[in-house]
Amino acid sequence: MAKLSQSDRDALPKSKFAEPEERAYPIENEAHAKNAKARASQAVKAGRMSKAEEGKIDKKADAVIKKK
């Protein structure tokens, strides 16, 4: 996965994040979308995120992954 520098991340529009209001889980490409799904799964297992929230992230990430 390509590194995403802080300045590049700051330049991304909200639409390129699975959680746009928090600017969390960038999904601007397939690699980052897959990573967002993995991190959301880990957060659920650790109790930091609900399954419903994970489902929303997965849905948005899947849309990016299927575009390829």
Side-chain angles (χ1 to χ4, degrees):
M1 178 173 57
K3 287 278 188 182
L4 185 60
S5 70
Q6 187 62 46
S7 61
D8 289 340
R9 182 185 173 99
D10 291 343
L12 287 175
K14 283 185 173 183
S15 64
K16 296 293 183 178
F17 290 88
E19 288 190 338
E21 296 306 315
E22 297 178 28
R23 295 186 63 84
Y25 302 99
I27 54 171
E28 79 279 9
N29 59 37
E30 183 180 359
H32 280 94
K34 287 179 178 180
N35 186 271
K37 289 176 61 104
R39 299 298 153 247
S41 177
Q42 288 175 342
V44 169
K45 289 176 185 171
R48 297 186 310 267
M49 181 182 291
S50 70
K51 288 292 276 179
E53 193 173 359
E54 178 191 25
K56 291 178 186 178
I57 291 169
D58 284 351
K59 184 177 178 181
K60 289 179 180 181
D62 287 340
V64 172
I65 292 167
K66 290 178 183 175
K67 283 184 182 179
K68 66 175 195 169

